[in-house]
Amino acid sequence: MLKLTRAFFAAALAMALAAFFAGTVAAQTKGGGKIICWKDKSGKVVGCGDKVPPEFEDAATKELDRRGVTRKTTGTPEEQARQAAQEEALLKQKEEEKKRLAEQQRRDSALLNTYANEKEIDQRRDREVQEVDRLLGQFEGLRKSATARLADAQGRVAAAEKARKPSDTLKDEVARTEAEIAKFERSIAAKTKEKEEIRARYAETKERYVALRAGGARSAATAAPAKK
């Protein structure tokens, strides 16, 4: 019985406070006006009236109509700046996504217009790989020749040192030849990597092409009228 009495009084008090607040709002907005409530830094409403006091000009507020319904809210300058930055970032993200989709559509259209079938993709890939292989063969031949020259120069340097007739010219030749070999090896490594990238790129191109053709075929089948 005691618990029920306490619950009854709590409910009555809450209703009385709500009625008081609604009456205050109605009184201050009599004639179709509005009321503004302002908050402290923790977000708690600390007062309401027809205008915000000077000491709360930078506080978050909410605007109510004469029925006590919230019609407008504003945050603190920091909150407004943060919200504006978030909205700007979201807008930028949407614009970038729109551009990305447009670019993807352009590439897809060019892909479908470039190749008549998958075999043509393979043929172009093979031509590019063959050109890289041709250059690889040249660099490997140059490296082999330079390696032979290096061995010869090193042998002459060893002979000169054995005869106690050191030659700076021979040592310079060895250094130049070693530099040439290092350059050819870098070129070979670069061309080997390029060949791998070509194969990977055309594998991706072919996969996309097959997906686009399959999607187009499904769309055409869906759009075609059923035969009776």
Side-chain angles (χ1 to χ4, degrees), residues 73-95:
T73 60
T74 61
T76 63
E78 294 80 5
E79 292 172 341
Q80 294 179 35
R82 184 165 55 251
Q83 183 178 358
Q86 291 174 348
E87 291 175 353
E88 183 179 356
L90 182 60
L91 180 61
K92 184 178 180 181
Q93 183 180 354
K94 289 181 178 179
E95 289 295 327

Side-chain angles (χ1 to χ4, degrees), residues 191-203:
K191 286 301 176 183
T192 301
K193 181 180 179 182
E194 182 181 347
K195 185 164 67 171
E196 294 172 355
E197 291 173 345
I198 289 172
R199 293 187 183 279
R201 185 173 73 250
Y202 275 96

